[in-house]
Amino acid sequence: MKFGKRTEFRQTSWDEPEIFDLNETGVQRVGFLTVEDNEVLEREASLMQILGDKYRPPDELGLPQNSEVEVVRHFTRLSQEAYGVDEGPVPLGSCTMKYNPRIAWRVITRSGLAGVHPSSIELGVEQGLLSMLYELQEWFKSITGMDECSLQPPAGASGELAGILMIKEYHKDRGEEREYILVPDSAHGTNPASAAMGRFKVVRIPTGPDGTVDIGSLKAVLDESVAGMMMTNPNTLGLFEHKVLEITKLVHDAGGLLYYDGANLNGILGLARPGDMGFDIVHLNIHKTFSAPHGSGGPGAGVVCAKGELSRYLPGYIVEESRGEFILTRRDRSVGDMQSFYANFPQMVYAYTFILSYGKQGIADVGLNSILATNYFIKKIKGLKGVSIPFSPETPRFHEVVISLKGLVSETGVSAEDVAKYLLDKGVHAPTVYFPLIVEEALMIEFTETETLENVKYYAESLREAIEKAYENPEELKQSPRNTSVTRLDYVRANHPSTLTPSRKYEIMRERRRSSDAA
Amino acid sequence: MVGKTLHPWLPNALNWEREKEFSHTLVKSLMNIIPRKLVEKAMEGYESLPDRINEPWSLERHLMSVLGKTRAYERVFAGGIVCPHYVHPVVEYLISRGEYLTSYTPYQPEISQGILQTLYEYQSLLAELYEVEVINSGMYDGATALAEAIGIALRVNRGKIVLLPQYMNSRIENVLKTYSKAFEFSIKHYDPLDPDSIDDERDDEVTALVVENPLSNGTINSKTKELYDKAHSIGALAISFTDPLLASVTKPPGIEGADIVVGEGQSLGLPMNGGGPLLGILGVRDDKRLIRNLPGRLVGKTLDRNGRRAYTLILQTREQHIRREKATSNITTNTALNAIGAAISLSLMGREGIRSVAWRVLVNTSILMEELGRIKGLDIRTKKPAFKNVMYSINTVQDRASLLMLFRHMHDVHGIIPFSIEKDDALLSCATEVHSKDDLVKFAQFLAEGISSITRRRSS
Ligand SMILES: Cc1ncc(COP(=O)(O)O)c(C=O)c1O
């Protein structure tokens, strides 16, 4: 198959000035309200009167002034220097970058969600929204195999923190002091970070030669000081932890609790449930498996579910039906609130739309289609020189695969990062690089169910091309990317104290200091 | 059983049929890997999921029937952390562009310059508002941003006590209590109207002093500077929780001496969304230790190999993906799209626009206070001048059941969302730029009528 057009990829490059530098004339422009001259006078007089010595005069506020059309163009141009799922494949491993259905976005806008005050939820006049939350709770229970779910956490990491606090409070209520949380060395960085935030000590459990948790090492550390264990299954290598039932039993027998990082459920949707595997607490990322967009880094939504006794510790609110009405309730030992209000609603609309659109008839196919895409990709790249699939290369992967370019870097000097940058030039997004940490020169690739076969093939071919080039002309990869808005960046300059520039104000301050030092 | 569902979001469903050998072999080996018992239980469990809704028009119709409703935000007077603000069509349009909406966190800077520059502009615009040098690219909401600010203080300063103003918004305090279980600090309260009440001797273990502006009851804090000074004199860090709109017309916290600034960014023209997602503003003054301990993402400016101006994530060694259990926080997904929305909104408003919005809020709040003041039996707890929120209680309607009745009456009869219940009988209503004078006058009238109708109904 030919993909000629895509090798011609050129990303837009506007060299767009910063918003502060757009208006070169210095003349006042307005992009928002029509401010009448006499109104300005009236306003300043009244502000001075109302605020007294707390008054901040306009010349002490350094905000730019642009007309509406300039603002629209500025941010439209900037948006064109970005690359999301709507532009092409974004096979970032662990990120589950699937298509975000437009129908959900339209319903969010048309239903006027923007105008809903949280009190309307709390005091029950938004029965429709509450019924959506209620149904979602029920569906997430079915999908996870847990007893109860809270939709409050604003992201996966917040769900993890909630889970960690649940574990902490649970043991405290039993008068037990357990100070360790076990985390496999393949785990996502948020797992140890969340455990540490809850003031637990983190014990790293090594991965065995087959790519799953090493049972011997686990047994060696299990005792009454272990509060719990956080696990991801399939793990970040894309491998199913086939000893999971044994692991959960071992930890439970030692009095510990089991936390399931379900940020990414794509690999087991319809195939297996954390509740049946023996987990006590689970979090889900709505902005991964359940199709809410990533929004350039957020907002997302996390959902935490728990089993049995642990349900009493769930954060936030649970929607219940009482006398024909949906109401918010709290659990008696709740760890409290993870954000100010009840849930991230637009994200919930995505999940609601997603589940209804597939229904019980189709949702298992989401999982299967993503697994098939991953393994199809593996098939296409098998045997590439310098590339290996660490840990059980012949075992099928689930939602994602991690490959290692250790061979390539030692033979050619071309690193995983260089290859990732070369892929950008091919008009596709790079994979996740250097994660998980247990794989050297890692590229982590996750095609979801929404990526076309053509693009999976194209990606494999582009990778093949990159590897071939690395052996022929490594310099070419070191010079990539060339077709993106900018070339590789100067990270020393970006992070060095003498050149650090986190804001315009900082930049001006630094320049002033420099010139006064010189004088 | 290989994915045969034909669905618009499953492009390859039938391709796998053509790749029969590959797909059948794969599915077979998956079944050998997953314990059989698990697969059976999953299939059983999934039976309780709903039936699929096929056609997009049927799906949309169903969704609208559950979620749709007339919601006019100028009829929302309920206050608290979230109040109705004008969401400009340009903001709504731009953040719906796929490039912003469907992109990941900009870890690959060469292909994500637009996102990075937009977030850098967000940081820079907020740095101007608060007059501090560093603002990160966003936290979940104001409350969690404040909790993380306390986290910074606990790392750089001694002690384990945090002083909060009395009557701080209970939703915020609830979140702080949750985080206190993690960070292991204790909360004490002080009277924000009387900085001298903070005892120098007793409080030598105070890690941070939180200063609100406006106070949660809407009163503008006239003692901010004294409080920041007080914090420093007792060896505590000064954390400012300031409304970004108010900061455009009052002396900003950075100038007055705050070490860490926090705010709820929804005031900058973002949707209420039923309370989430919001936008947590978090920043610090130029101080190496504070910057190194800042949680969340930070964008900085640099050059590319050709010497072109470019932007990238900076100081990433603070974050979980590098530092794991030693990270400053576990946060990764934040509310970037809302930060982008805030940057666009601030760019539209500009210096004059934001000040005129803030002014309208001030003027409208004083109208609301006056109008509410005319209602008999209403006890107003907010002092003038106030910004956005007015706190009051109603002598004749105090228990939760009656308040709920009043709330529903206002909603059912007038389509008005009248107040939020802050705590016990304390209510919060707010006035913002979206309300006209007429809206505010009518609201007070309807509220007065509602109160007498509820009081009558109850006594009959
Ligand atoms: C495996 C895993 N766990 C946890 C997280 C954290 O989720 P969030 O970014 O929503 O906080 C992520 C994603 O970043 C993830 O991939």
Side-chain angles (χ1 to χ4, degrees), chain B residues 16 26 46 76 147 166 208 309 324 388 404 416 430 447:
Chain B
W16 303 126
L26 179 70
Y46 275 57
V76 174
Q166 268 165 1
R309 173 174 53 93
R324 299 176 76 85
K388 242 200 273 198
L404 187 60
I416 279 176
C430 70
L447 184 64

Side-chain angles (χ1 to χ4, degrees), chain B residues 248-429:
Chain B
S248 72
V249 291
T250 51
K251 290 279 180 237
I255 293 283
E256 291 196 320
D259 300 300
I260 308 178
V261 298
V262 184
E264 174 47 67
Q266 188 260 335
S267 335
L268 295 171
L270 296 177
M272 293 187 282
N273 285 335
L278 304 175
L279 169 63
I281 300 168
L282 177 61
V284 295
R285 65 179 167 79
D286 176 34
D287 174 286
K288 269 205 201 84
R289 284 188 75 204
L290 292 175
I291 296 172
R292 251 187 286 124
N293 277 285
L294 186 67
R297 284 192 275 273
L298 202 53
V299 177
K301 181 151 63 170
T302 181
L303 297 174
D304 80 350
R305 280 189 182 164
N306 299 330
R308 207 199 107 161
R309 173 174 53 93
Y311 305 82
T312 182
L313 296 175
I314 56 170
L315 307 180
Q316 291 190 68
T317 49
R318 298 166 298 112
E319 293 184 62
Q320 52 75 31
H321 63 289
I322 311 255
R323 205 41 81 72
R324 299 176 76 85
E325 63 268 25
K326 301 212 169 58
T328 54
S329 166
N330 66 349
I331 191 169
T332 160
T333 293
N334 50 23
T335 51
L337 197 66
N338 282 359
I340 291 171
I344 298 167
S345 180
L346 270 170
S347 302
L348 282 168
M349 289 194 275
R351 186 184 68 208
E352 291 301 322
I354 191 173
R355 296 182 84 260
S356 97
V357 172
W359 171 65
R360 274 164 207 253
V361 173
L362 274 166
V363 171
N364 282 348
T365 311
S366 84
I367 295 174
L368 178 64
M369 267 182 92
E370 261 163 49
E371 294 302 319
L372 291 177
R374 288 184 221 283
I375 302 177
K376 261 212 323 251
L378 212 80
D379 178 16
I380 295 190
R381 304 190 189 167
T382 303
K383 298 210 165 50
K384 272 190 169 180
F387 191 75
K388 242 200 273 198
N389 277 300
V390 179
M391 185 185 269
Y392 54 93
S393 55
I394 305 167
N395 294 345
T396 49
V397 191
Q398 289 188 331
D399 59 295
R400 197 171 165 95
S402 314
L403 287 169
L404 187 60
M405 218 196 280
L406 176 59
F407 185 95
R408 296 226 173 157
H409 171 88
M410 296 289 283
H411 171 263
D412 297 346
V413 178
H414 304 292
I416 279 176
I417 306 299
F419 49 72
S420 57
I421 303 178
E422 161 50 20
K423 214 181 206 172
D424 306 326
D425 64 341
L427 309 178
L428 285 170
S429 292

